[in-house]
PDB file of all heavy atoms in Angstrom:
ATOM      1  N   LEU Q  19      -1.973  -0.786 -22.808  1.00  0.00           N
ATOM      2  CA  LEU Q  19      -2.849  -0.927 -21.454  1.00  0.00           C
ATOM      3  C   LEU Q  19      -2.239  -0.235 -20.263  1.00  0.00           C
ATOM      4  O   LEU Q  19      -3.006   0.302 -19.527  1.00  0.00           O
ATOM      5  CB  LEU Q  19      -2.925  -2.354 -21.266  1.00  0.00           C
ATOM      6  CG  LEU Q  19      -3.743  -3.138 -22.364  1.00  0.00           C
ATOM      7  CD1 LEU Q  19      -3.681  -4.636 -22.110  1.00  0.00           C
ATOM      8  CD2 LEU Q  19      -5.142  -2.782 -22.190  1.00  0.00           C
ATOM      9  N   ILE Q  20      -0.858  -0.208 -20.147  1.00  0.00           N
ATOM     10  CA  ILE Q  20      -0.297   0.541 -19.075  1.00  0.00           C
ATOM     11  C   ILE Q  20      -0.661   2.027 -19.056  1.00  0.00           C
ATOM     12  O   ILE Q  20      -1.035   2.588 -18.122  1.00  0.00           O
ATOM     13  CB  ILE Q  20       1.144   0.282 -18.935  1.00  0.00           C
ATOM     14  CG1 ILE Q  20       1.379  -1.235 -18.772  1.00  0.00           C
ATOM     15  CG2 ILE Q  20       1.842   1.120 -17.996  1.00  0.00           C
ATOM     16  CD1 ILE Q  20       0.941  -1.718 -17.405  1.00  0.00           C
ATOM     17  N   TYR Q  21      -0.489   2.661 -20.270  1.00  0.00           N
ATOM     18  CA  TYR Q  21      -0.863   3.990 -20.407  1.00  0.00           C
ATOM     19  C   TYR Q  21      -2.385   4.230 -20.182  1.00  0.00           C
ATOM     20  O   TYR Q  21      -2.661   5.245 -19.630  1.00  0.00           O
ATOM     21  CB  TYR Q  21      -0.465   4.533 -21.818  1.00  0.00           C
ATOM     22  CG  TYR Q  21       1.004   4.923 -21.836  1.00  0.00           C
ATOM     23  CD1 TYR Q  21       1.901   4.125 -22.440  1.00  0.00           C
ATOM     24  CD2 TYR Q  21       1.570   6.097 -21.385  1.00  0.00           C
ATOM     25  CE1 TYR Q  21       3.291   4.422 -22.554  1.00  0.00           C
ATOM     26  CE2 TYR Q  21       2.820   6.374 -21.452  1.00  0.00           C
ATOM     27  CZ  TYR Q  21       3.692   5.629 -21.992  1.00  0.00           C
ATOM     28  OH  TYR Q  21       4.984   5.954 -22.082  1.00  0.00           O
ATOM     29  N   SER Q  22      -3.157   3.358 -20.686  1.00  0.00           N
ATOM     30  CA  SER Q  22      -4.641   3.421 -20.465  1.00  0.00           C
ATOM     31  C   SER Q  22      -4.919   3.329 -18.949  1.00  0.00           C
ATOM     32  O   SER Q  22      -5.825   4.179 -18.537  1.00  0.00           O
ATOM     33  CB  SER Q  22      -5.393   2.394 -21.261  1.00  0.00           C
ATOM     34  OG  SER Q  22      -5.153   2.514 -22.571  1.00  0.00           O
ATOM     35  N   SER Q  23      -4.269   2.493 -18.232  1.00  0.00           N
ATOM     36  CA  SER Q  23      -4.544   2.383 -16.829  1.00  0.00           C
ATOM     37  C   SER Q  23      -4.052   3.731 -16.061  1.00  0.00           C
ATOM     38  O   SER Q  23      -4.865   4.144 -15.172  1.00  0.00           O
ATOM     39  CB  SER Q  23      -3.813   1.245 -16.188  1.00  0.00           C
ATOM     40  OG  SER Q  23      -2.443   1.387 -16.241  1.00  0.00           O
ATOM     41  N   MET Q  24      -3.039   4.343 -16.559  1.00  0.00           N
ATOM     42  CA  MET Q  24      -2.597   5.544 -15.915  1.00  0.00           C
ATOM     43  C   MET Q  24      -3.718   6.668 -16.196  1.00  0.00           C
ATOM     44  O   MET Q  24      -3.926   7.532 -15.231  1.00  0.00           O
ATOM     45  CB  MET Q  24      -1.312   6.079 -16.508  1.00  0.00           C
ATOM     46  CG  MET Q  24      -0.130   5.066 -16.225  1.00  0.00           C
ATOM     47  SD  MET Q  24       1.464   5.650 -17.063  1.00  0.00           S
ATOM     48  CE  MET Q  24       1.668   7.191 -16.257  1.00  0.00           C
ATOM     49  N   ALA Q  25      -4.308   6.672 -17.378  1.00  0.00           N
ATOM     50  CA  ALA Q  25      -5.436   7.669 -17.720  1.00  0.00           C
ATOM     51  C   ALA Q  25      -6.512   7.425 -16.719  1.00  0.00           C
ATOM     52  O   ALA Q  25      -7.242   8.393 -16.157  1.00  0.00           O
ATOM     53  CB  ALA Q  25      -5.819   7.489 -19.135  1.00  0.00           C
ATOM     54  N   VAL Q  26      -6.916   6.211 -16.483  1.00  0.00           N
ATOM     55  CA  VAL Q  26      -8.082   5.834 -15.548  1.00  0.00           C
ATOM     56  C   VAL Q  26      -7.672   6.080 -14.069  1.00  0.00           C
ATOM     57  O   VAL Q  26      -8.582   6.574 -13.365  1.00  0.00           O
ATOM     58  CB  VAL Q  26      -8.572   4.387 -15.788  1.00  0.00           C
ATOM     59  CG1 VAL Q  26      -9.669   4.134 -14.934  1.00  0.00           C
ATOM     60  CG2 VAL Q  26      -8.951   4.216 -17.180  1.00  0.00           C
ATOM     61  N   TYR Q  27      -6.486   5.906 -13.730  1.00  0.00           N
ATOM     62  CA  TYR Q  27      -6.080   6.125 -12.439  1.00  0.00           C
ATOM     63  C   TYR Q  27      -6.043   7.622 -12.166  1.00  0.00           C
ATOM     64  O   TYR Q  27      -6.408   8.118 -10.989  1.00  0.00           O
ATOM     65  CB  TYR Q  27      -4.547   5.743 -12.190  1.00  0.00           C
ATOM     66  CG  TYR Q  27      -4.455   4.241 -11.734  1.00  0.00           C
ATOM     67  CD1 TYR Q  27      -3.607   3.303 -12.479  1.00  0.00           C
ATOM     68  CD2 TYR Q  27      -5.189   3.655 -10.655  1.00  0.00           C
ATOM     69  CE1 TYR Q  27      -3.515   2.065 -12.137  1.00  0.00           C
ATOM     70  CE2 TYR Q  27      -5.117   2.350 -10.394  1.00  0.00           C
ATOM     71  CZ  TYR Q  27      -4.198   1.463 -10.944  1.00  0.00           C
ATOM     72  OH  TYR Q  27      -4.072   0.209 -10.662  1.00  0.00           O
ATOM     73  N   THR Q  28      -5.796   8.443 -13.208  1.00  0.00           N
ATOM     74  CA  THR Q  28      -5.900   9.941 -13.120  1.00  0.00           C
ATOM     75  C   THR Q  28      -7.349  10.410 -12.804  1.00  0.00           C
ATOM     76  O   THR Q  28      -7.604  11.218 -12.016  1.00  0.00           O
ATOM     77  CB  THR Q  28      -5.326  10.610 -14.432  1.00  0.00           C
ATOM     78  OG1 THR Q  28      -4.029  10.153 -14.570  1.00  0.00           O
ATOM     79  CG2 THR Q  28      -5.418  12.110 -14.255  1.00  0.00           C
ATOM     80  N   LEU Q  29      -8.210   9.736 -13.489  1.00  0.00           N
ATOM     81  CA  LEU Q  29      -9.649  10.046 -13.253  1.00  0.00           C
ATOM     82  C   LEU Q  29     -10.028   9.654 -11.821  1.00  0.00           C
ATOM     83  O   LEU Q  29     -10.743  10.411 -11.164  1.00  0.00           O
ATOM     84  CB  LEU Q  29     -10.563   9.264 -14.209  1.00  0.00           C
ATOM     85  CG  LEU Q  29     -10.394   9.774 -15.667  1.00  0.00           C
ATOM     86  CD1 LEU Q  29     -11.429   8.783 -16.635  1.00  0.00           C
ATOM     87  CD2 LEU Q  29     -10.746  11.193 -15.837  1.00  0.00           C
ATOM     88  N   ALA Q  30      -9.581   8.516 -11.384  1.00  0.00           N
ATOM     89  CA  ALA Q  30      -9.810   8.131 -10.018  1.00  0.00           C
ATOM     90  C   ALA Q  30      -9.125   9.098  -8.940  1.00  0.00           C
ATOM     91  O   ALA Q  30      -9.773   9.309  -7.891  1.00  0.00           O
ATOM     92  CB  ALA Q  30      -9.223   6.659  -9.709  1.00  0.00           C
TER      93      ALA Q  30
END
Side-chain angles (χ1 to χ4, degrees):
L19 290 174
I20 295 299
Y21 277 102
S22 298
S23 71
M24 294 176 66
V26 181
Y27 278 129
T28 301
L29 294 177

